[in-house]
Amino acid sequence: MTALLMTEHRKAAIRVDHAMVLAAGLGQRMRPLTATRPKPLIEVAGRSLLDYCLARLAEDGVKTVVVNVHYLPEQIEAYLKGHKHPRIVISDERDRLLDTGGGVCKALPLLGMQPFFILNSDSLWIEGAKPALARLREAWREDEMDCLMLLASTVNSVGYDGNGDFTMDVTGRLSRRMPGEVAPFAYTGLCIAHPRLFKGAPDGAFSMNLLWDRAIEAGRLFGLRHDGIWLHVGTPDGVTAAERALQEL
């Protein structure tokens, strides 16, 4: 039985009420588009990247979304002012950029005690037969997982030209791509994480990669293959490619 089939055989999906959108980065690879506005507010097909994230979360029934800010934070705060569904809470990193792991750690008191979604602000995808967020909730196995990632096939993604991030066994358990090798799956920037993933995390700024590597060693980092199309929007060229893919729907 494949990893995809095994993760789909769930009796009931968990409920996820909280999410975090990582929106504090400098967006350096997106320059010159980010010279005067933060990356989450870059538009793809007339809609901001941040709006795509929030819309997906609202559709899935998420109640509270924490958005961290650092670069040009006033623009993001003004954009989100008055947003009601889902409820927005700002995690302020004006004084110090905490990277992905440090940013989530700072926001943990706002995210509750149950599994929550984490999205990169440029997480953009075309749905498959079933919404990706719902599939992640259905695939979650509380006793085995600390983090469950949505992964995309590197050969079927739009705008991605890397060597992949992970390999996956038949249970969905992940391993890192080895140096000099090519891996079949790339991380889409969307996952479910349990607060226990952050137990013993360092203070200050650090990358989520530190915690993912620790989860790999413990056998508790898993993946679910996306059954739609991942749009990798990391550069201005990626914006163009994503718009082209959306227009072809």
Side-chain angles (χ1 to χ4, degrees):
M1 184 179 288
T2 68
L4 175 60
L5 289 175
M6 290 184 72
T7 51
E8 294 294 344
H9 276 71
R10 290 281 295 171
K11 292 183 178 179
I14 64 167
R15 177 171 176 171
V16 177
D17 289 331
H18 292 77
M20 179 155 192
V21 176
L22 298 170
L26 302 177
Q28 293 176 331
R29 294 177 60 236
M30 192 66 87
R31 287 185 176 269
L33 298 180
T34 52
T36 57
R37 57 179 165 171
K39 183 177 179 180
L41 300 188
I42 297 299
E43 292 188 353
V44 175
R47 191 176 188 183
S48 75
L49 291 169
L50 183 54
D51 193 45
Y52 281 107
C53 290
L54 296 177
R56 296 288 197 202
L57 292 168
E59 290 166 2
D60 196 64
V62 172
K63 295 180 178 179
T64 300
V65 178
V66 179
V67 180
N68 64 342
V69 296
H70 173 78
Y71 177 62
L72 301 175
E74 296 83 3
Q75 291 189 31
I76 296 178
E77 289 176 327
Y79 186 84
L80 294 173
K81 186 176 181 180
H83 198 286
K84 296 181 179 179
H85 304 291
R87 181 175 72 98
I88 304 297
V89 180
I90 296 295
S91 181
D92 195 332
E93 296 180 25
R94 281 174 172 83
D95 294 337
R96 183 185 181 191
L97 184 61
L98 294 174
D99 205 340
T100 51
V104 179
C105 274
K106 176 181 171 65
L108 278 179
L110 305 171
L111 291 166
M113 301 300 295
Q114 300 302 315
F116 56 90
F117 291 119
I118 303 174
L119 288 80
N120 293 345
S121 62
D122 60 356
S123 298
L124 184 59
W125 66 89
I126 297 171
E127 299 285 21
K130 192 170 190 176
L133 294 174
R135 292 185 61 232
L136 283 171
R137 290 189 292 103
E138 291 175 356
W140 180 259
R141 301 195 295 271
E142 179 72 19
D143 56 339
E144 296 181 64
M145 300 175 173
D146 288 343
C147 184
L148 174 62
M149 295 177 161
L150 185 71
L151 301 180
S153 167
T154 56
V155 297
N156 293 326
S157 300
V158 172
Y160 182 78
D161 59 1
N163 293 322
D165 301 311
F166 297 101
T167 59
M168 182 165 54
D169 71 14
V170 294
T171 69
R173 192 171 275 111
L174 299 182
S175 300
R176 287 280 189 185
R177 175 180 66 85
M178 299 301 293
E181 295 183 352
V182 175
F185 298 108
Y187 176 50
T188 63
L190 167 62
C191 69
I192 291 181
H194 193 283
R196 62 175 169 258
L197 177 68
F198 300 86
K199 185 178 180 180
D203 295 330
F206 70 93
S207 170
M208 283 293 299
N209 285 302
L210 176 69
L211 303 182
W212 291 335
D213 286 342
R214 192 171 67 179
I216 288 173
E217 291 179 7
R220 299 186 64 84
L221 185 70
F222 285 77
L224 175 68
R225 181 173 180 165
H226 182 40
D227 64 350
I229 301 173
W230 176 45
L231 308 175
H232 183 239
V233 189
T235 64
D237 287 343
V239 172
T240 302
E243 290 180 331
R244 187 180 304 117
L246 291 170
Q247 289 170 358
E248 292 173 356
L249 290 178

